[in-house]
Amino acid sequence: MAAEQAKQKDNDHKHETISSKGRLAISHAEHATLSMFELDKNQLLDTFNTTHIIDGLYASPGLRYAVAVQRANDLVEFIDGGLYQEDHGDHDHSYQTDPSMISFNISQAKPTHFDVNEDRASLFIDGDNSLNIPAGFLILDDHAIEQGKIVAEHTFENAMHGTAQLREDFVLTTHRSEAATNTLPDFVDLYHQHGDHFHQEQRFELNCPSLHGSAQNQDHIAFGCSDGVLVVTQSGENFTNSKIANLTNMPAGARIGSLKSSHDSPLFIGNAQRNYFYLIDPENQQMSEITWRENDSISVIASIAEQEEGHLYVIDSEGYLSIFAAEEKWQVTARFKVLSQTDDTFNLAYSHADETLFIAAKQQQKIIAVDLHDQKASTLLELDFEPNKITWLGIAQEHDH
């Protein structure tokens, strides 16, 4: 009977691909609430109560689930956006259902960084030094979330504000030694996955004091250190490390604290003190500053990276959007006006269905849509609440840039 129902469900869909602009998940700034909007008609589909106010909001690797991180309260919850695809062998089967809150959750101390690599994601758990709760990381994918389980996990010996970069069966993650002067780690470890757990295989000899920020491309994994960038290079199952020192002319106290990448480029873009961007070249072991603004009075007010497309979107204090392109060595390839009012708090989301960037303006209580192709911005949604974090959910579509 179940097989017949499954076959009927398959026939009902006729293997058609659903064409949709997707859904936008928006957390409320002052309440433990998430609103889900449908972007084909720009209407509210449903509102969900989370256990606590959301600190971080992400899309799952398959873009089906909103990952609602409540770091301050040691909890992660999941909302099914209702638009997704399944691999049925000879075709991808698309589904469109009502969004829903699922019962699966993760309750661990200070869940923080959520990093997606292809069809899996790592969630880094910082732990709590004051309570002697150690850090750890866990691996998720959309199927595991649907099944209410974790793919694999690992627990460290102490707490730290760390990161974990997935590379097939390997994970490059962090170690905080006794010499560390704060909660940031200072070394990088290599782990290998064995079923639902991991075995440590290597600790790289070069240290990375106050490690913060990581990214990866085809051959390299980079980590931001107070004195430069630690680069791990992979060749098959062989991993080696090197260090690119900070530039001597960097502003006082500046260090690379955030890194972005694209699989189509061997170069990384690093960010220091929010307003300074640097090109990191692992193959030539070089760092150079990227000139992106006319004067120092211009500052960054919001940014988001899109790894698959190889773009970094930066909105500045003059209301302009600058697009950094990986294929052009992370130089700015376009700059145009998107905001008339900049004295606000902004968060960004990127659509995988069309060339749209969404801006959540907190105090103005609205969502602005930026057409990246036509380089135009317009108000998409007028809200009756203050938006905070936003993320796009749905079925990714192929489109040219």
Side-chain angles (χ1 to χ4, degrees):
M1 182 67 179
E4 290 179 3
Q5 288 177 339
K7 184 178 180 181
Q8 182 62 44
K9 181 182 178 184
D10 234 27
N11 290 337
D12 288 345
H13 283 272
K14 299 178 181 178
H15 300 174
E16 291 180 0
T17 300
I18 293 170
S19 179
S20 171
K21 291 183 179 180
R23 293 169 177 177
L24 197 63
I26 308 172
S27 73
H28 295 220
E30 303 297 332
H31 302 282
T33 308
L34 180 139
S35 292
M36 190 78 69
F37 285 84
E38 185 267 325
L39 293 170
D40 292 310
K41 297 181 180 178
N42 297 331
Q43 63 184 17
L44 178 67
L45 285 179
D46 209 341
T47 297
F48 303 94
N49 294 322
T50 54
T51 304
H52 309 283
I53 291 177
I54 295 170
D55 301 310
L57 187 63
Y58 308 92
S60 64
L63 304 171
R64 175 177 177 178
Y65 298 95
V67 183
V69 177
Q70 297 148 60
R71 183 182 190 274
N73 292 279
D74 305 334
L75 184 66
V76 180
E77 293 179 304
F78 301 87
I79 299 92
D80 186 346
L83 277 173
Y84 60 100
Q85 283 183 331
E86 289 180 350
D87 185 355
H88 284 202
D90 63 342
H91 67 279
D92 286 330
H93 204 117
S94 301
Y95 296 94
Q96 181 170 319
T97 63
D98 293 333
S100 61
M101 189 102 177
I102 66 173
S103 59
F104 175 56
N105 67 74
I106 295 167
S107 180
Q108 295 197 34
K110 293 185 172 58
T112 309
H113 288 305
F114 187 81
D115 289 298
V116 173
N117 185 40
E118 296 180 347
D119 60 352
R120 298 189 303 161
S122 66
L123 174 66
F124 199 92
I125 310 295
D126 282 1
D128 192 326
N129 248 342
S130 64
L131 298 176
N132 292 319
I133 300 174
F137 65 87
L138 51 89
I139 309 303
L140 295 165
D141 60 25
D142 282 46
H143 180 68
I145 295 170
E146 183 181 27
Q147 297 295 314
K149 62 183 182 182
I150 293 166
V151 175
E153 60 185 321
H154 178 77
T155 302
F156 297 104
E157 295 181 353
N158 54 17
M160 70 182 106
H161 181 59
T163 183
Q165 290 286 334
L166 305 178
R167 292 180 72 85
E168 296 183 344
D169 293 336
F170 292 101
V171 176
L172 287 100
T173 187
T174 49
H175 169 74
R176 186 169 71 89
S177 73
E178 293 183 359
T181 58
N182 51 39
T183 59
L184 295 177
D186 53 348
F187 283 91
V188 173
D189 285 355
L190 175 69
Y191 282 80
H192 190 256
Q193 183 177 343
H194 293 264
D196 63 354
H197 63 282
F198 296 86
H199 293 169
Q200 182 185 355
E201 294 209 341
Q202 185 177 353
R203 175 162 300 152
F204 297 99
E205 63 272 18
L206 296 176
N207 75 332
C208 183
S210 297
L211 188 158
H212 192 276
S214 64
Q216 61 175 295
N217 56 32
Q218 192 69 35
D219 299 315
H220 308 285
I221 311 93
F223 300 86
C225 320
S226 61
D227 59 356
V229 175
L230 177 69
V231 177
V232 176
T233 301
Q234 179 180 5
S235 178
E237 295 192 359
N238 183 48
F239 293 80
T240 56
N241 69 148
S242 59
K243 190 79 156 290
I244 302 173
N246 284 337
L247 296 175
T248 56
N249 63 350
M250 290 175 73
R255 50 78 51 92
I256 303 297
S258 173
L259 289 155
K260 305 300 178 185
S261 64
S262 169
H263 284 296
D264 295 329
S265 171
L267 307 172
F268 295 87
I269 183 170
N271 182 237
Q273 289 186 346
R274 194 171 178 86
N275 299 322
Y276 297 90
F277 292 96
Y278 296 88
L279 187 69
I280 312 298
D281 183 347
E283 295 180 359
N284 294 304
Q285 290 287 292
Q286 293 178 345
M287 180 188 302
S288 56
E289 185 172 358
I290 298 171
T291 302
W292 71 280
R293 51 183 179 163
E294 294 178 354
N295 57 72
D296 290 347
S297 66
I298 299 173
S299 59
V300 175
I301 60 174
S303 66
I304 189 172
E306 210 304 297
Q307 185 181 52
E308 187 174 334
E309 300 294 337
H311 290 141
L312 174 65
Y313 301 98
V314 175
I315 299 178
D316 64 43
S317 53
E318 293 189 343
Y320 283 83
L321 172 67
S322 293
I323 303 177
F324 298 71
E327 64 182 6
E328 298 295 336
K329 297 184 177 181
W330 291 111
Q331 299 301 307
V332 175
T333 56
R335 184 175 186 264
F336 55 95
K337 190 86 167 180
V338 294
L339 297 176
S340 57
Q341 178 183 338
T342 58
D343 56 338
D344 203 335
T345 300
F346 301 97
N347 281 292
L348 309 179
Y350 176 83
S351 169
H352 292 264
D354 54 28
E355 296 178 80
T356 304
L357 183 72
F358 301 100
I359 307 171
K362 182 180 176 182
Q363 282 79 34
Q364 298 171 65
Q365 296 189 188
K366 65 182 181 181
I367 304 296
I368 299 163
V370 180
D371 184 322
L372 297 168
H373 181 269
D374 293 340
Q375 300 188 356
K376 294 180 180 179
S378 59
T379 298
L380 181 73
L381 299 170
E382 297 279 2
L383 306 173
D384 59 1
F385 63 90
E386 288 190 345
N388 190 19
K389 307 298 185 181
I390 57 173
T391 195
W392 184 91
L393 305 173
I395 299 170
Q397 305 292 329
E398 294 286 341
H399 56 274
D400 296 326
H401 282 262

